[in-house]
Amino acid sequence: MTTEGTTGRTINARIANFRDLTPAERLDKLVEAAHLPPADHALLGKPGALPLTLANGMIENVVGTFELPFAIATNFEINGRDYLIPMVCEEPSVVAAASYMARIARGCGGFKTSSDLPLMRAQVQVLGVADPEGARHRLLIAKPEILAAANAKDKVLVSLGGGCRDIEVHVFPNTPRGHIVVMHLIVDVRDAMGANTVNTMAETVAPLVEKITGGTVRLRILSNLADLRLARASVTVSAAALATAEFSGERMVEGILDAYTFAAIDPYRAATHNKGIMNGIDPIVVATGNDWRAIEAGAHTYAARSGHYTSLTTWEKTAEGGITGTIEMPMALGLVGGATKTHPMAQVALRILGVKTAQELAEVTVAVGLAQNMAAMRALATEGIQRGHMALHARNIAIVAGAEGAEVEKVAAELASAHDVRTDRAKEILARLRGQA
């Protein structure tokens, strides 16, 4: 499957033998596949893509910049369209696992996604209210006035079709700080993540809220539990597609279902299970300059919304004996504002993805999280997580041992083949290779 890219030419996410190429060769393949301009090729091919002058304007007390590997996951077909996925992370096996499961899913129809409107909540906390239920009703009656005040603060957003849409009012009686009334502004932030927008609106309406309730406003800030801004993905894979030389497809399906059930019932397992999902999600969030901490906070809170911390994904056996996986979670991502617009590499990442809206970015991101989850459970339920992970980690160990250039792959290959990935063993292998040379 090939699809139209941002330049109108076709994108093919199936790049054969991508992992076997050198970084320079991979870059050439990426530029060709994603139709990137020469400026992006130059930016990706050199270190220090973030100038110190830009970094100094992004956060405080800057003394330098810190780089992480920028990689591309291949093979993804989502809603019938091909995507090349930029991922920024330090952990071995993440990109390989996502690409591998995307290739399996690709042969079974790929991933299907959907999402809600980009609605964010801003919370306005009110204390010292004598009649909290009465105050709640007064706020609801004054909704048109509150919405008008909020929208007057961001006429550009309103002109783009967004703006404050509604309010909610929650009452918390008899807390250690007395009655607390909390009003939520429900804001359509369009293609922004929305934090600055909703925070500004909350601060703008605070005096009006105090006048209506007779109380005192304290906190005026967004909620990172973006439960009105959910993104979903699903994938169905046949048993035959999961089969390997060592394990039948049926064994794979049963193993994945056992692994999922463990995560669904046990929060200790669910924490690691969901971390594996975020292994796929966070690298895209970082690559595109979005707030990965906000995404993490929303994900884990949503996983505990029933009062029991559980899996963010569900897995079920199909009538044909295959397996269907689904994910639904908050995904407050933006294409405009903040580091997304400031960081040169974030802009390159968005051009590689070719997404047109924040909702599309959210859907692609959760699909990668679902692929990562399937990859982890497939490994855990069969040969174990360490076999593939340590084989890739062996390169890191070889470098730590002092290997350079072609020595890295030679040392790593020997470590992996012996299933003995240790620094002292790597030093022994390196010494022997250098002695032979």
Side-chain angles (χ1 to χ4, degrees):
M1 172 71 68
T2 57
T3 51
E4 294 295 313
T6 55
T7 61
R9 291 175 288 178
T10 56
I11 291 175
N12 186 352
R14 181 75 184 104
I15 305 177
N17 303 316
F18 194 62
R19 64 181 296 177
D20 297 327
L21 304 176
T22 66
E25 290 169 337
R26 290 191 202 110
L27 177 56
D28 290 341
K29 289 285 188 180
L30 169 65
V31 168
E32 179 185 357
H35 312 295
L36 298 178
D40 286 352
H41 186 287
L43 195 63
L44 285 162
K46 68 177 183 181
L50 177 64
L52 198 58
T53 51
L54 272 182
N56 192 48
M58 293 172 67
I59 61 171
E60 310 77 36
N61 299 343
V62 169
V63 296
T65 59
F66 181 93
E67 290 192 313
L68 288 170
F70 185 107
I72 302 295
T74 58
N75 304 322
F76 275 88
E77 181 185 323
I78 303 170
N79 297 330
R81 175 183 170 186
D82 274 25
Y83 290 89
L84 293 165
I85 310 295
M87 302 180 77
V88 171
C89 66
E90 83 299 338
E91 183 173 337
S93 79
V94 168
V95 179
S99 299
Y100 177 69
M101 294 316 301
R103 181 158 64 87
I104 290 177
R106 185 183 185 86
C108 298
F111 297 86
K112 309 300 179 186
T113 66
S114 66
S115 60
D116 298 334
L117 290 173
L119 299 177
M120 296 293 287
R121 298 177 186 268
Q123 296 184 291
V124 181
Q125 178 197 33
V126 191
L127 290 83
V129 178
D131 57 340
E133 290 295 340
R136 174 178 178 272
H137 282 271
R138 291 194 297 275
L139 287 169
L140 291 172
I141 290 169
K143 180 171 77 170
E145 185 181 0
I146 295 169
L147 297 185
N151 286 326
K153 197 63 180 179
D154 200 332
K155 294 180 180 179
V156 173
L157 178 63
V158 173
S159 72
L160 294 172
C164 193
R165 295 279 187 256
D166 202 356
I167 67 169
E168 296 175 354
V169 186
H170 305 271
V171 174
F172 300 88
N174 304 316
T175 77
R177 302 298 293 168
H179 303 313
I180 298 178
V181 177
V182 181
M183 184 187 75
H184 290 186
L185 297 177
I186 310 300
V187 185
D188 184 336
V189 297
R190 299 284 83 195
D191 283 328
M193 182 272 182
N196 291 330
T197 296
V198 299
N199 287 345
T200 300
M201 286 185 174
E203 292 177 359
T204 298
V205 304
L208 178 58
V209 170
E210 288 185 332
K211 179 181 176 182
I212 293 168
T213 62
T216 300
V217 168
R218 288 283 192 257
L219 272 63
R220 298 142 292 168
I221 191 168
L222 88 159
S223 169
N224 285 127
L225 178 54
D227 59 354
L228 298 176
R229 195 177 183 177
L230 303 178
R232 306 167 202 86
S234 65
V235 66
T236 298
V237 178
S238 67
L242 290 169
T244 68
E246 297 172 286
F247 299 97
S248 70
E250 292 73 18
R251 167 68 175 80
M252 288 287 196
V253 168
E254 294 302 323
I256 290 173
L257 291 173
D258 289 341
Y260 159 66
T261 301
F262 188 7
I265 63 173
D266 181 5
Y268 289 94
R269 173 59 206 145
T272 312
H273 176 94
N274 289 342
K275 187 268 182 183
I277 294 169
M278 303 312 291
N279 273 351
I281 288 172
D282 285 346
I284 306 172
V285 180
V286 174
T288 57
N290 275 281
D291 187 347
W292 61 268
R293 299 160 306 282
I295 297 300
E296 283 277 350
H300 297 296
T301 307
Y302 192 73
R305 67 193 182 279
S306 67
H308 170 83
Y309 185 84
T310 188
S311 169
L312 286 165
T313 56
T314 61
W315 292 89
E316 304 164 297
K317 184 185 287 189
T318 66
E320 296 75 24
I323 198 163
T324 293
T326 60
I327 186 170
E328 178 181 71
M329 61 181 288
M331 194 53 57
L333 299 178
L335 299 183
V336 298
T340 304
K341 278 294 187 184
T342 306
H343 201 303
M345 288 295 285
Q347 288 292 291
V348 174
L350 290 172
R351 285 193 286 273
I352 292 169
L353 281 164
V355 293
K356 302 297 194 300
T357 66
Q359 284 181 259
E360 184 184 358
L361 175 58
E363 292 176 17
V364 169
T365 302
V366 295
V368 178
L370 184 61
Q372 198 74 34
N373 182 226
M374 180 164 59
M377 289 197 299
R378 171 194 168 278
L380 283 166
T382 52
E383 72 267 14
I385 202 73
Q386 288 298 80
R387 178 173 170 180
H389 180 78
M390 292 306 287
L392 293 168
H393 184 54
R395 286 184 294 181
N396 283 342
I397 297 300
I399 293 169
V400 170
E404 298 177 350
E407 294 174 335
V408 174
E409 293 300 333
K410 291 179 180 178
V411 173
E414 191 165 336
L415 290 171
S417 64
H419 304 293
D420 186 13
V421 184
R422 295 180 291 112
T423 304
D424 57 342
R425 179 63 184 139
K427 289 180 178 179
E428 293 173 4
I429 296 169
L430 182 61
R432 190 188 74 242
L433 291 174
R434 289 176 173 176
Q436 291 172 349

